[in-house]
Amino acid sequence: MKKRKDKLWFVLFTFPLLFIFTTVVIMPFIFGIAYSFVKWDGIPANPKVFVGLDNFIQLFKDERFLSSAWHTVKFTVMAVISVNVLGLAFSLFVTTKLRVRNVARTLFFMPNLIGGLILGYIWQFIFTDVFGYLGQSTGLDGIFFNWLLDPQYALYAIVIVFTWQVAGYTMIIYIAGLQGIPDELVEAAKVDGANVWHRLTKITLPLLMPAFTICLFLTLSGAFKIYDVNLSMTRGGPNNATEMFAMNIYNEIFAYGNYGLGQAKAVIFFLVVAAFTLTQVVMTKKREVQY
Amino acid sequence: MRKTSMLLLEILLLVLAVIFLSPIYMMVVNSFKNRAELYENALALPTSFSFQFYKEAMQKMNFFTAIGNSLYVTIVSVLIVIVLASMTAWMLVRTDNKLSKIIFMTLVATMLIPFQTLMMPLMQVMDWIRTNLHLPMLNTHEGLIYMNVGFASGMAVFLYHGFIKSIPIDLEEAATIDGCSKFGVFWRIVFPMLTNITITVAILNVISLWNDYLLPSLTLADKGLRTIPLSTFYFFGEFTIVWNQAMAGLTLTIIPVVIFYMLAQKYIIKGIASGAVK
């Protein structure tokens, strides 16, 4: 009797969320895999034709897709490094005894609350207009020109904006990690004659590994899935030079109406994101040390 | 010697922080300048303060409607996520069997799926529900809220789950013996103990939902339904860019975020830190 009642409570408590979750995540995921084997233009009246693995063969011959994958990899490598270097540097700065540390922390974190789309528009103004002005007035037009019109520099511009957005976020996580390191350890090393650099590289950084695991995971998956900043900064231009994974998928499906092919790309996208992030977590977890 | 180097460091850090926020400065100062002034010097302070561009931007963006829409969608979504996810997580922790574990693992594992993998089939599912069950899932705020809840549930249950595991079961058992129903036990005893993690869940979701662009852009078609990111996007897409007006529009969209940050800074930073540590 009691058991049956418990079961009823279980269903009552969990069913609403699980129902919504199933219709929003699980069903689309399963249907998504099915759609990737189909050729369809998205118009309900038109037939969905089963084509087997054709979409997957086709996407590996799609040069625009492959180059968007390559842009994403380049972008991700640059972004992960710059976000984490800057975030870590910020966190070391604001955990010192400096009086301005609280103000600095507040300011460093601020951009993270503003959405990628709006950040991208602010920076679009800076790269097109302010940079033009700076180039003219300083004569340094080798640095200050419209970055968004240059295929190479446009990608760097997105790296800068992404770093600006996310560095403060990783800073918060690194701060939490730094505060978790017992003072005695650092003090003991000081007594033993270790200088600032040694204390940092031999004690602080190894003990920060758990924070690295989290930050690398968040920045890796965030950079790989970048869309909003990409859209508002360049829309993939110039000449598709900055079109990244997520945008290529969006365009294939909703701009060109190749629903099956686009969904096959989306499935590959999922596999790549999962493989990269899981590998990273396993690798960095191994290097976490105990004290 | 030590004192001067400390002072130098203080200044260095402050300068670094100010440079870091300089894009915001550029945005704000140029939102007041007229065309000639803007092209003459993009970095200088404006010589006169005219709110003309703000007025124009507000009109073109339908600013107050968009703010209202964003507030409605964000607040209702977050409240539903908190209620449903906390209840689910509690049941999953307190019911120690295989089914609970499978449900929990599924919720956590799906957090890895990128939105782009789900967006097209999701639209098909919602369209099917709309045509066959006659529920307005597309082009309504309520439909968007429904989908927001679905996407946020994995992360929210995960956070609640970790927190609930660490609180002792004794109190709940005592209340059960006293004849409290499960519903009563949860809402009167357990939920008040979850305040810290509830704040974290709320803040993480407020930030991501307020700024979300892609899902609303796929579901909301009517002009009057647009949220802030959507109206910003169309503001930039529909009109040729007039920079001073555009900067005024962007400044407007950032004002609510700054107010939120000033009011809840302590909780936001704590929430981010505890939300990330697994």
Side-chain angles (χ1 to χ4, degrees):
Chain A
M1 176 60 201
K2 192 180 172 299
K3 256 200 142 170
R4 258 188 67 193
K5 223 173 157 187
D6 274 354
K7 263 187 194 154
L8 204 72
W9 279 116
F10 185 86
V11 173
L12 211 66
F13 269 58
T14 58
F15 181 76
L17 181 122
L18 293 178
F19 180 82
I20 299 175
F21 176 75
T22 308
T23 52
V24 174
V25 177
I26 301 290
M27 279 164 58
F29 184 66
I30 295 166
F31 291 150
I33 294 171
Y35 275 119
S36 69
F37 298 107
V38 155
K39 193 171 165 60
W40 184 42
D41 60 4
I43 297 165
N46 289 350
K48 303 179 178 88
V49 185
F50 179 79
V51 290
L53 290 171
D54 268 14
N55 289 327
F56 290 93
I57 296 164
Q58 207 185 329
L59 70 86
F60 282 108
K61 289 190 214 141
D62 179 347
E63 267 177 42
R64 186 164 156 190
F65 176 65
L66 295 179
S67 66
S68 84
W70 175 234
H71 304 147
T72 311
V73 171
K74 269 202 293 192
F75 168 77
T76 302
V77 171
M78 290 189 282
V80 166
I81 293 171
S82 66
V83 166
N84 285 286
V85 168
L86 204 64
L88 184 61
F90 285 169
S91 72
L92 290 170
F93 256 130
V94 301
T95 46
T96 54
K97 293 194 176 67
L98 296 173
R99 254 167 300 163
V100 290
R101 64 177 189 271
N102 286 327
V103 179
R105 193 186 61 179
T106 304
L107 297 183
F108 287 147
F109 182 71
M110 173 81 213
N112 196 257
L113 292 175
I114 306 168
L117 197 81
I118 286 159
L119 290 182
Y121 287 128
I122 299 176
W123 281 88
Q124 200 193 348
F125 170 67
I126 292 170
F127 282 116
T128 49
D129 199 85
V130 178
F131 267 39
Y133 163 74
L134 284 173
Q136 268 174 16
S137 58
T138 59
L140 296 169
D141 47 13
I143 309 170
F144 296 115
F145 57 94
N146 188 346
W147 282 27
L148 302 182
L149 296 180
D150 180 286
Q152 201 70 36
Y153 278 76
L155 197 67
Y156 301 153
I158 301 176
V159 173
I160 290 177
V161 179
F162 184 78
T163 307
W164 194 65
Q165 181 187 20
V166 186
Y169 191 91
T170 57
M171 171 190 75
I172 301 290
I173 299 165
Y174 284 126
I175 291 173
L178 286 170
Q179 285 167 343
I181 297 174
D183 286 338
E184 303 98 83
L185 275 172
V186 183
E187 287 304 318
K190 221 181 202 170
V191 171
D192 289 344
N195 61 26
V196 177
W197 177 248
H198 278 134
R199 290 202 300 269
L200 182 68
T201 53
K202 299 278 190 254
I203 298 187
T204 309
L205 294 187
L207 288 177
L208 261 186
M209 274 321 275
F212 277 120
T213 305
I214 299 162
C215 287
L216 287 178
F217 173 78
L218 290 172
T219 45
L220 194 64
S221 64
F224 229 94
K225 294 189 273 193
I226 188 169
Y227 179 79
D228 291 10
V229 174
N230 198 185
L231 179 73
S232 58
M233 291 268 292
T234 64
R235 287 203 182 198
N239 208 358
N240 301 331
T242 59
E243 184 184 71
M244 283 184 257
F245 242 135
M247 186 175 278
N248 185 281
I249 293 168
Y250 181 91
N251 288 340
E252 192 68 68
I253 298 175
F254 295 114
Y256 303 119
N258 297 323
Y259 278 53
L261 177 61
Q263 191 55 33
K265 288 177 176 182
V267 170
I268 295 287
F269 184 50
F270 161 65
L271 293 176
V272 173
V273 172
F276 267 82
T277 48
L278 290 178
T279 315
Q280 174 263 320
V281 169
V282 169
M283 267 167 57
T284 44
K285 270 248 185 256
K286 250 194 232 155
R287 304 194 54 174
E288 286 178 13
V289 289
Q290 303 287 321
Y291 54 83
Chain B
M1 172 56 207
R2 218 184 128 63
K3 248 190 170 163
T4 38
S5 71
M6 280 306 265
L7 190 70
L8 276 176
L9 263 176
E10 297 261 10
I11 295 168
L12 181 76
L13 182 59
L14 202 62
V15 169
L16 201 67
V18 168
I19 292 176
F20 199 71
L21 274 205
S22 60
I24 304 277
Y25 165 81
M26 293 178 215
M27 173 186 76
V28 176
V29 292
N30 288 304
S31 67
F32 292 106
K33 293 181 193 166
N34 61 38
R35 213 182 167 81
E37 230 184 312
L38 193 149
Y39 285 108
E40 199 181 308
N41 187 342
L43 296 178
L45 285 166
T47 48
S48 64
F49 280 89
S50 128
F51 284 90
Q52 181 205 340
F53 306 117
Y54 281 86
K55 250 164 89 193
E56 290 167 9
M58 262 188 201
Q59 252 168 18
K60 285 192 180 169
M61 291 175 74
N62 233 332
F63 184 70
F64 289 107
T65 315
I67 283 272
N69 292 342
S70 272
L71 280 173
Y72 175 65
V73 170
T74 307
I75 292 173
V76 177
S77 304
V78 170
L79 288 178
I80 298 177
V81 167
I82 286 171
V83 170
L84 296 187
S86 62
M87 284 177 19
T88 305
W90 181 63
M91 263 301 163
L92 293 180
V93 174
R94 295 300 184 228
T95 314
D96 189 22
N97 62 25
K98 235 187 183 148
L99 181 67
S100 292
K101 284 203 186 87
I102 292 171
I103 292 173
F104 180 65
M105 289 316 289
T106 313
L107 282 163
V108 173
T110 51
M111 280 159 59
L112 272 179
I113 305 173
F115 178 73
Q116 279 77 13
T117 307
L118 302 173
M119 62 184 177
M120 188 275 277
L122 173 70
M123 289 305 117
Q124 308 305 323
V125 171
M126 292 301 143
D127 197 47
W128 187 89
I129 295 177
R130 187 182 58 169
T131 43
N132 293 294
L133 307 177
H134 305 290
L135 293 168
M137 301 311 287
L138 295 171
N139 201 15
T140 58
H141 285 148
E142 290 69 26
L144 176 61
I145 289 168
Y146 182 90
M147 289 179 251
N148 279 340
V149 172
F151 283 115
S153 52
M155 171 87 156
V157 170
F158 175 69
L159 289 172
Y160 274 118
H161 197 273
F163 193 86
I164 292 169
K165 264 196 304 197
S166 70
I167 58 175
I169 196 167
D170 313 17
L171 264 176
E172 298 164 28
E173 280 171 344
T176 315
I177 291 164
D178 288 349
C180 218
S181 74
K182 289 253 182 195
F183 203 74
V185 170
F186 181 74
W187 287 110
R188 279 197 228 131
I189 296 166
V190 180
F191 192 75
M193 290 197 284
L194 304 179
T195 311
N196 277 334
I197 197 71
T198 299
I199 291 171
T200 300
V201 171
I203 280 173
L204 292 176
N205 279 304
V206 165
I207 297 171
S208 69
L209 293 177
W210 182 269
N211 292 322
D212 193 19
Y213 163 74
L214 192 48
L215 178 60
S217 83
L218 293 173
T219 58
L220 304 178
D222 285 355
K223 225 174 170 175
L225 296 177
R226 285 175 191 166
T227 56
I228 289 278
L230 273 182
S231 73
T232 313
F233 177 78
Y234 286 106
F235 175 53
F236 274 78
E238 278 169 9
F239 308 99
T240 43
I241 299 179
V242 184
W243 279 123
N244 36 24
Q245 206 183 75
M247 290 305 116
L250 293 178
T251 308
L252 283 173
T253 67
I254 288 175
I255 291 170
V257 177
V258 173
I259 294 173
F260 172 64
Y261 189 37
M262 286 193 305
L263 293 178
Q265 196 201 348
K266 204 179 84 194
Y267 298 110
I268 293 172
I269 290 190
K270 244 201 223 149
I272 300 274
S274 56
V277 179
K278 315 179 176 179

